[in-house]
Amino acid sequence: MSENNSENSAVDAAKDFAGDAAGKVKDVAADATEKAKEFAGDAGENIKEFAGETVENVKEFTEDAAENVKEFAGDAVEHAKGLGAKIAGIFKHDK
């Protein structure tokens, strides 16, 4: 009978150990899942911020480029007017 009791004790101990191990695995898995959710949330937030900053930078760049084009066009027009006046002056003197 005592052999049977020791077998039962060993089986009970193994069951307890397996139950504890399963509980710890569940806890670790729950922690890992929670951390993964937090990481995904943080990554999503970072992506949103980066996308927002990128859009803002593109808008600023486009606005700056448009302003530069306007200035360049205005300078080109003024330069053409001045050049036209010089050419007209040359032809006036030729007559």
Side-chain angles (χ1 to χ4, degrees):
M1 224 23 183
S2 91
E3 205 174 293
N4 196 11
N5 282 341
S6 356
E7 282 180 19
N8 286 341
S9 293
V11 168
D12 289 343
K15 285 180 182 176
D16 288 345
F17 177 77
D20 290 347
K24 287 180 182 174
V25 167
K26 283 182 182 176
D27 290 346
V28 168
D31 271 358
T33 301
E34 191 58 37
K35 285 187 168 83
K37 285 179 183 175
E38 288 173 15
F39 176 78
D42 291 348
E45 195 56 41
N46 289 340
I47 289 169
K48 283 182 191 175
E49 287 177 26
F50 176 75
E53 288 171 11
T54 301
V55 167
E56 194 56 38
N57 288 341
V58 168
K59 280 172 68 178
E60 288 176 18
F61 175 78
T62 304
E63 289 168 0
D64 290 348
E67 191 59 38
N68 289 340
V69 168
K70 282 181 189 175
E71 287 176 23
F72 176 76
D75 291 347
V77 167
E78 287 304 312
H79 184 67
K81 284 179 182 176
L83 190 58
K86 285 181 186 177
I87 292 170
I90 291 170
F91 286 117
K92 270 187 182 178
H93 290 297
D94 283 351
K95 288 186 177 181

